[in-house]
Amino acid sequence: MAVVVQKYGGSSVADAEKIKNVARRAVAAQKGGNQVVVVISAMGKTTDELIKLANQVTDHPDDRELDVLLSTGEIVSSTLLAMALKSMGVKAVSLSGAQAGIRTDAVYSRARIRGIKPERIEKELGKNKIVVVAGFQGVTEEMDVTTLGRGGSDTTAVALAVSLGADRCEIYTDVEGVYTADPRLVPEAMRLDEIGYDEMLELASSGARVIHSRAVELGEVYKMPILVASSFSDRPGTLIHGGAPMEVGNKVRGIAHDLNVAKITVIGVPDKPGIASTIFDPLAKANISVDTIVQNASINRITDLTFTVAKSDLAKAMKVIEPVVKSIGARETVSDTKLAKVSIVGAGMQSAPGYASRMFNALHEEGVNIELITTSEIRITCIIDEARVDDTLRALHRAFELEKAE
Ligand code: ASP
Ligand code: MG
């Protein structure tokens, strides 16, 4: 019998009715002749509320305690789902991350899965049970509970699919798959039937929120096909896999945007070896991830260095680099938070010229100023004024004719 791993996100289990809906879907998958493992997120905004609560108790919640606290959100939803299943006369069991054998390192709030001991899950599947696993959590060598970082249930699901030898991992959410752009902002956006791991990874890390990028990475490494579909309909969704056609007609597959962008510019930096590492080392040590980095050509051995971080990391980043900026003799540091990142992504772009200029033309015609530009082999990103995101997305969607997406 094939093993199917289904993951349901927070909005799919936001209330009792929705939990019963998930139960019916899991039963249907079992009736289809599969062994079913369901990975579940916390109900609705539970995780946010737990974080808020911790912050009301103290400005600096203890890392270890916070992870145990946050892990309870998924315990609540997994137990409720198991109860719903049993009340339908179906054999089921809920398992915490620890009980499911998910071993992680000891980096609280962003733990990495080190390995999975699937014996308990397999034993329960062998008894014809639907196994409900609390997502987003694991346990260290020392049996301390860890969480995998926000949105981590997707990663739990793909990791379990890999370790159980599932044919594919199904991620159910409140949208019907991966779109050419956010359909709430671009009405003409189209759902894609399939997309490659690389393209999905670029879209996810450029702001597309449908699936967590770590889960896609894991899928790519282990060649695990991932279906993203709606938990509220039976439409087919989008299959993320390695066999997506290379030579599609439309080389831009999708447009992503991200409003969580802040820009920091260090002005008057002496241009000599070692300066970049002096600035970026302390940021890395403080666990602040730096995204776009641009260094201007220097004039008289003095240059400006600009980079972006998540808005939520700005205050921390400024604090970290202030003493560094002083020590290297740079003039000053300025920041800007009213920015957004817009990216076009497509694997076919790497062998076809002209995509950057088409993107810049579309922005120019729309009267949108480009603050920064960065690229990868299959992505072109512009940082722009956050007030212009909606127009920009629609203009790019038109310019690249994404309404005709296959
Ligand atoms: N409940 C966690 C969060 O909100 C994990 C998840 O939903 O995947 O981030
Ligand atoms: Mg969530």
Side-chain angles (χ1 to χ4, degrees):
M1 235 192 295
V3 178
V4 168
V5 175
Q6 299 190 325
K7 180 259 173 180
Y8 292 89
S11 52
S12 302
V13 293
D15 57 37
E17 258 332 297
K18 289 181 177 148
I19 289 176
K20 289 187 209 168
N21 170 56
V22 167
R24 285 189 291 271
R25 297 180 66 104
V27 171
Q30 191 186 47
K31 291 221 167 95
N34 302 294
Q35 293 190 316
V36 180
V37 176
V38 180
V39 174
I40 203 120
S41 285
M43 295 171 69
K45 301 255 169 275
T46 304
T47 311
D48 293 329
E49 277 151 23
L50 291 171
I51 292 173
K52 220 188 283 162
L53 205 51
N55 287 326
Q56 283 165 8
V57 172
T58 163
D59 286 342
H60 300 286
D62 179 81
D63 287 349
R64 176 187 181 278
E65 305 306 329
L66 184 62
D67 269 20
V68 181
L69 177 69
L70 298 191
S71 74
T72 64
E74 274 70 9
I75 302 288
V76 170
S77 50
S78 62
T79 51
L80 290 171
L81 178 61
M83 287 179 207
L85 286 163
K86 290 184 203 197
S87 77
M88 292 166 69
V90 177
K91 287 201 250 173
V93 61
S94 70
L95 298 176
S96 68
Q99 290 173 314
I102 299 173
R103 293 308 177 100
T104 73
D105 61 20
V107 183
Y108 294 112
S109 85
R110 61 178 79 81
R112 300 230 151 221
I113 298 176
R114 287 273 169 259
I116 295 181
K117 297 199 165 88
E119 290 80 9
R120 177 71 191 272
I121 297 180
E122 282 165 350
K123 191 172 108 197
E124 303 291 356
L125 287 175
K127 294 186 210 157
N128 276 328
K129 289 186 190 174
I130 293 182
V131 180
V132 184
V133 178
F136 169 62
Q137 56 185 270
V139 70
T140 67
E141 255 347 287
E142 310 278 275
M143 296 302 284
D144 283 318
V145 173
T146 54
T147 64
L148 308 181
R150 298 305 306 270
S153 301
D154 290 347
T155 304
T156 305
V158 175
L160 280 177
V162 170
S163 96
L164 294 167
D167 289 342
R168 69 178 187 185
C169 181
E170 302 174 354
I171 306 268
Y172 291 102
T173 173
D174 53 0
V175 294
E176 288 185 348
V178 180
Y179 280 73
T180 50
D182 186 336
R184 283 165 302 189
L185 303 182
V186 183
E188 314 82 61
M190 304 283 290
R191 183 184 55 76
L192 297 165
D193 291 335
E194 57 179 350
I195 187 167
Y197 293 114
D198 289 351
E199 292 175 317
M200 191 62 237
L201 207 51
E202 290 279 10
L203 285 173
S205 50
S206 306
R209 295 178 153 265
V210 17
I211 181 171
H212 205 239
S213 51
R214 257 170 77 187
V216 183
E217 237 165 53
L218 202 57
E220 176 163 35
V221 170
Y222 292 98
K223 311 228 169 347
M224 174 59 63
I226 304 169
L227 177 77
V228 179
S230 167
S231 59
F232 303 113
S233 80
D234 288 319
R235 305 246 169 75
T238 302
L239 189 66
I240 306 167
H241 65 132
M246 291 287 286
E247 296 257 277
V248 286
N250 204 337
K251 299 193 192 309
V252 176
R253 296 284 282 160
I255 308 172
H257 72 285
D258 189 353
L259 299 175
N260 189 13
V261 183
K263 181 178 84 169
I264 297 177
T265 304
V266 188
I267 301 173
V269 180
D271 187 11
K272 57 183 187 209
I275 289 289
S277 74
T278 315
I279 293 179
F280 293 114
D281 269 355
L283 289 168
K285 291 210 175 87
N287 256 314
I288 296 169
S289 98
V290 173
D291 192 25
T292 309
I293 303 176
V294 179
Q295 182 184 321
N296 290 346
S298 70
I299 300 172
N300 298 329
R301 303 239 140 257
I302 297 286
T303 184
D304 297 340
L305 196 67
T306 300
F307 57 94
T308 62
V309 296
K311 253 180 212 159
S312 41
D313 278 341
L314 177 64
K316 195 164 145 202
M318 290 296 271
K319 216 191 223 146
V320 168
I321 62 163
E322 241 154 51
V324 181
V325 165
K326 267 205 197 105
S327 77
I328 58 172
R331 204 165 78 223
E332 62 171 328
T333 312
V334 293
S335 66
D336 185 350
T337 55
K338 302 240 171 307
L339 295 171
K341 204 163 76 171
V342 174
S343 309
I344 59 170
V345 172
M349 294 195 309
Q350 56 188 322
S351 52
Y355 282 86
S357 73
R358 274 170 73 187
M359 181 177 193
F360 304 153
N361 272 334
L363 295 187
H364 172 73
E365 273 164 26
E366 213 38 50
V368 173
N369 187 46
I370 302 172
E371 304 270 340
L372 290 176
I373 301 165
T374 61
T375 62
S376 79
E377 278 180 348
I378 66 166
R379 171 183 52 79
I380 305 169
T381 298
C382 294
I383 310 267
I384 60 165
D385 178 357
E386 72 176 1
R388 300 302 311 274
V389 166
D390 297 20
D391 317 334
T392 303
L393 291 176
R394 284 195 284 266
L396 290 172
H397 208 270
R398 247 181 286 127
F400 292 105
E401 302 184 330
L402 290 178
E403 73 284 355
K404 294 183 196 153
E406 299 114 284

